[in-house]
Amino acid sequence: MPEGKIILIDDNEAVLKTLKMILAREFKTVVGVSQPALLPALLREGDVDLVLLDMNFGIGRQDGAEGLFWLERIVERPNPPAVVLITAFGDIELAVSALKRGAADFIVKPWDNDKLIRTLQDAFRRRKEQKDDSVSAKEVVSLLVGSLLKKYALAYGKLLPAITPEGLLKLSLLIQKGDLLALQQTIERAVLLSDSSLLEADDFYMEETTSTSRPVTLEEMEKLFISEVLHEKNGNLTLCAQQLNISRQTLYNKMRKYGL
């Protein structure tokens, strides 16, 4: 059973009851409500993995506008749950519109139970993978930036500066290009020229490069960076871990992961 939480939104109480019975065997937590206006409160804690959202609410509504409205409200949230839409009206244009706006999938009533479960489990798995990838990417960016800030603050006898979210985002875009030398030069220049305890996006000046080399992945970038630090510290794991702001065990795990 997936360790997931799913919210069901449908104004038909019989449909809600049936869906809850089916999905209670598939997900750890199943919450069913008939009013989409309750969604903001239900999503406030950020612990929802999936939303199964009806496209039409109220008698005579068949255009799916309400479903699309709430879909947009959900996907614009930070770390949004996956949204699977469900409707009694199989309209391919509506399905395409929903997918373009961020829906994970689309189900037509009456549904096939096995297909419903597979669709929701696939959406849950994809979201979990995306969430894990996002966390991993943030960890790599934090490792590289934090280590270089520490290195150059120490080199120039300055207090270790903090960095704004906007500054970190700007540097993460540089990291994604795979240019480690440019990242080092950019951070060194910012630390050297600024006397502020907080570095903002404008403090990081990035020169245009004409490099046509293949951009590396974040994992490749992390491997390259750890290799350089190991070389710089002559293989001393204690000094390397201190430079990277990680424990010796974490460093050892990363070295084993990358074959260093």
Side-chain angles (χ1 to χ4, degrees), residues 46-48 74-82 127 130-131 134 138:
D47 61 345
V48 178
I74 296 171
V75 300
E76 69 186 8
R77 299 178 63 88
N79 190 27
R127 181 185 185 266
Q130 291 170 352
K131 189 175 181 180
S134 177
K138 288 180 180 179

Side-chain angles (χ1 to χ4, degrees), residues 102-233:
D105 218 322
F106 190 90
I107 294 172
V108 178
K109 300 176 186 176
W111 64 83
D112 174 82
N113 286 348
D114 290 339
K115 184 176 180 180
L116 170 72
I117 292 170
R118 286 197 305 272
T119 299
L120 292 174
Q121 288 180 339
D122 286 347
F124 173 80
R125 186 185 68 254
R126 292 196 302 270
R127 181 185 185 266
K128 188 174 185 301
E129 290 172 351
Q130 291 170 352
K131 189 175 181 180
D132 290 344
D133 289 345
S134 177
V135 171
S136 177
K138 288 180 180 179
E139 289 176 348
V140 173
V141 170
S142 178
L143 173 70
L144 269 62
V145 172
S147 178
L148 289 171
L149 284 173
K150 180 178 180 180
K151 174 181 178 179
Y152 294 120
L154 182 62
Y156 293 111
K158 297 194 173 187
L159 293 177
L160 179 63
I163 183 172
T164 64
E166 294 78 14
L168 193 61
L169 176 60
K170 188 173 183 180
L171 291 176
S172 72
L173 296 176
L174 185 59
I175 291 172
Q176 290 170 21
K177 293 182 179 179
D179 194 336
L180 182 56
L181 179 59
L183 176 69
Q184 293 171 322
Q185 292 174 339
T186 298
I187 293 179
E188 180 178 14
R189 186 185 301 113
V191 172
L192 177 62
L193 297 179
S194 176
D195 292 322
S196 174
S197 61
L198 182 65
L199 296 177
E200 303 185 36
D202 289 343
D203 291 314
F204 299 103
Y205 171 72
M206 299 179 183
E207 296 180 351
E208 293 293 330
T209 63
T210 58
S211 173
T212 58
S213 61
R214 176 185 67 86
V216 300
T217 66
L218 285 174
E219 285 194 342
E220 290 172 328
M221 185 72 145
E222 184 178 46
K223 177 181 178 180
L224 176 62
F225 185 63
I226 292 175
S227 297
E228 287 203 3
V229 176
L230 283 168
H231 178 73
E232 179 184 314
K233 302 300 180 182

